[in-house]
Amino acid sequence: MTHQHSDALVFFGATGDLARKQIFPALLALLRRGQIDLPIIGVARAEMDLESFRTFARQTLEAHGSVDGAAFAKLAARLRYVNGDYNEAATFGRIKDALGGASHPLFYLAIPPDAFATVVRGLARWGCHANARVVVEKPFGRDLASAQALNGSLLECFPESSIFRIDHYLGKEPVQNLLYFRFANAFLEPIWNRDYVRSAEITMAESFGVAGRGRFYDDVGAIRDVVQNHVLELLALLTMDPPAGYDVDARRNEKYRAFRAMRPLSPADVVRGQYRGYRREQGVDPESNTETFAALRVHVDSWRWAGVPFYIRAGKCLPVTATELRVELKPPPKEVFDRLPPIPNYVRFRLSPDVAISLGARVKVPGEAMTGESVELIVRHTSGDEMRAYERLLGDAIDGDPTLFVREDEVSAAWTIVEPALRAPSPVHEYEPGSWGPAESDALIEADGGWDNPTVSAPSALTAAGG
Ligand code: BG6
């Protein structure tokens, strides 16, 4: 499938956090690999000329690691800068001038969502939107209604096919591999259903707190910040059916169907927690009831998954920083041997900090007795994610490939799932920083044997292949 490549990149919020931490490093990497070659126009409300914008870019990049001089020279040569207020029409006139002859620009809105409508209308008034694409960042609203309103403002000026919504989890290498491993092998599909799977867990644990983002976070909380998007995307990839066909929407269609099968949360399926000391974080309301931890039980109402519980945990100030998906299989139909090791068969997808796909199995301990032990067969194990998510996603947006971007219907379906938990929030329970969240979350999974807590060291490689 060929797409039309963008012939200029305009990024709004050029001096902001996202630009500094993600966009500049991604651009540098793409230029170093020779993957892109186009004018790069930064737009912000900071009095700067082009030279000081180049200096800003260099300092920003240096703050995040060593800078390849040759790649930076390519970046500096392509940079342009437009200073301006998004509320002033003249700003968009200057953007039009900076675009010169570009006829298929890409606009990246690295700005707060409440500025989206003003910016897209400003672009449209100057005719900059024709044949253009627009990239927008999460949060896509704060509930279903606001997400739809936000989308309405984008659709005033861009068709859905030109709107690229970023969820950076979809750009992560191990997330791609989750889909690849599922559908590039024949052995998984026969057991990937309610007949063989007993339950599954997704844990997105972070050992740090709100890290200076108290004001933003207090208005959002864990469910809006990471569950509605990153974690439900992972659940959709874990549970979706194989894509039918090869067009760009084949995968997104199946992902959408997976979201639609997830039952909206009921109060009994949600436990919220808040780490002790959160209310004293800068920017946080001293009486805040915002959750920094959420444990959920999700039901997937499809023929494939009916009756299989999917447990989710996401939280800050937990013992480790690690993201893992673990699918637990049912026990063998009949116990042939006494005292089987308690750890069941499972498939584990470890996304961070190291990356692994592994299978939990039982083998016999050498010797007279027919007793066994648990081992983990490691299919793939690497020390980390090789390609940064933003490199992949920005490259894809410039190439015009929408496969890894989130469609409007997926966003709405994901809001529909979490909305009951937002509308009538359950009580928030305090937990100790460095613990696995409030004790109340244990009751949620009790019937399925308790949580499986990821550890920071790599899974033990008793039998290893690849890597
Ligand atoms: C962001 C959230 O979307 O994802 C943060 O706003 C969270 O709160 C981050 O820390 C996690 O991303 P990653 O790639 O570090 O796992």
Side-chain angles (χ1 to χ4, degrees):
M1 176 100 199
T2 53
H3 309 280
Q4 185 147 48
H5 292 247
S6 301
D7 53 4
L9 167 68
V10 181
F11 66 114
F12 292 83
T15 53
D17 208 45
L18 189 73
R20 284 188 282 119
K21 290 191 183 139
Q22 302 291 358
I23 302 178
F24 277 118
L27 287 170
L28 196 71
L30 290 165
L31 285 162
R32 191 176 48 233
R33 285 203 300 275
Q35 222 172 306
I36 58 168
D37 182 10
L38 75 181
I40 297 166
I41 304 160
V43 186
R45 247 175 312 190
E47 286 292 344
M48 276 198 275
D49 58 11
L50 179 56
E51 226 19 72
S52 37
F53 186 52
R54 284 184 178 132
T55 308
F56 167 80
R58 171 126 217 162
Q59 287 167 349
T60 288
L61 287 162
E62 280 168 354
H64 289 93
S66 67
V67 176
D68 174 331
F72 185 78
K74 289 188 194 171
L75 176 66
R78 285 158 184 79
L79 277 185
R80 313 264 185 283
Y81 182 67
V82 172
N83 168 27
D85 190 318
Y86 305 141
N87 291 307
E88 286 171 13
T91 304
F92 298 93
R94 288 199 290 280
I95 292 171
K96 185 156 177 92
D97 291 345
L99 280 171
S103 54
H104 300 94
L106 177 70
F107 297 108
Y108 192 140
L109 309 190
I111 51 176
D114 56 9
F116 285 1
T118 313
V119 168
V120 295
R121 282 179 200 139
L123 291 171
R125 225 167 284 130
W126 286 82
C128 299
H129 65 308
N131 299 315
R133 283 191 285 270
V134 63
V135 175
V136 293
E137 277 289 334
K138 77 174 254 287
F140 312 120
R142 47 179 293 107
D143 52 23
L144 180 59
S146 58
Q148 286 173 339
L150 190 65
N151 209 51
S153 349
L154 294 170
L155 285 169
E156 277 176 29
C157 308
F158 293 92
E160 172 63 25
S161 59
S162 302
I163 302 173
F164 284 46
R165 294 175 195 79
I166 286 197
D167 179 322
H168 78 280
Y169 264 58
L170 295 182
K172 288 179 184 252
E173 177 66 24
V175 176
Q176 297 273 289
N177 207 2
L178 163 60
L179 200 66
Y180 194 89
F181 188 71
R182 277 199 59 201
F183 296 128
N185 295 304
F187 60 83
L188 216 51
E189 182 60 14
I191 59 168
W192 215 245
N193 55 54
R194 65 192 304 276
D195 296 333
Y196 290 88
V197 173
R198 174 178 168 185
S199 66
E201 273 180 57
I202 302 180
T203 304
M204 180 182 173
E206 294 178 313
S207 60
F208 47 88
V210 290
R213 298 159 76 220
R215 195 173 307 280
F216 159 80
Y217 195 87
D218 202 35
D219 192 38
V220 176
I223 296 177
R224 287 190 172 93
D225 186 38
V226 298
V227 174
Q228 183 270 346
N229 36 79
H230 307 328
V231 180
L232 289 189
E233 285 286 345
L234 294 178
L235 182 55
L237 293 172
L238 195 71
T239 57
M240 67 185 251
D241 284 335
Y246 298 95
D247 60 292
V248 290
D249 270 321
R251 263 196 239 171
R252 299 200 294 182
N253 289 343
E254 290 308 327
K255 199 143 61 72
Y256 170 66
R257 283 181 359 102
F259 279 121
R260 295 282 299 167
M262 295 175 206
R263 194 187 302 168
L265 293 167
S266 79
D269 291 325
V270 182
V271 175
R272 297 191 314 133
Q274 185 187 79
Y275 64 81
R276 196 169 48 76
Y278 170 73
R279 293 177 184 184
R280 291 194 304 275
E281 297 271 13
Q282 204 184 356
V284 169
D285 177 352
E287 291 180 19
S288 171
N289 278 325
T290 297
E291 79 282 351
T292 60
F293 169 97
L296 314 169
R297 182 172 42 216
V298 181
H299 304 273
V300 179
D301 291 328
S302 62
W303 272 49
R304 188 193 276 267
W305 295 117
V308 178
F310 289 85
Y311 297 101
I312 286 173
R313 269 182 316 173
K316 306 256 183 215
C317 280
L318 300 186
V320 295
T321 297
T323 301
E324 249 184 45
L325 297 84
R326 185 180 186 270
V327 176
E328 185 175 315
L329 302 182
K330 289 182 175 170
K334 188 172 160 9
E335 286 211 5
V336 176
F337 309 107
D338 285 345
R339 295 191 306 278
L340 280 182
I343 299 176
N345 291 153
Y346 61 84
V347 181
R348 187 199 302 271
F349 298 91
R350 169 115 161 160
L351 308 186
S352 74
D354 50 317
V355 175
I357 298 177
S358 51
L359 310 174
R362 292 168 177 139
V363 291
K364 181 181 168 302
V365 176
E368 290 275 304
M370 287 299 270
T371 53
E373 62 180 340
S374 297
V375 296
E376 194 164 87
L377 292 97
I378 300 187
V379 179
R380 162 53 71 78
H381 188 199
T382 57
S383 55
D385 193 349
E386 296 92 5
M387 187 180 184
R388 292 167 67 115
Y390 273 88
E391 271 167 60
R392 173 177 279 127
L393 294 173
L394 194 51
D396 282 3
I398 290 169
D399 290 346
D401 182 353
T403 312
L404 298 182
F405 295 83
V406 186
R407 250 176 15 196
E408 188 269 332
D409 53 359
E410 293 176 58
V411 174
S412 296
W415 279 120
T416 305
I417 297 154
V418 298
E419 195 145 82
L422 301 174
R423 225 182 295 130
S426 53
V428 65
H429 306 282
E430 193 178 70
Y431 62 95
E432 284 300 310
S435 73
W436 279 104
E440 285 77 359
S441 66
D442 295 340
L444 201 65
I445 198 174
E446 215 168 10
D448 279 300
W451 297 102
D452 178 66
N453 295 329
T455 52
V456 273
S457 54
S460 62
L462 292 174
T463 310

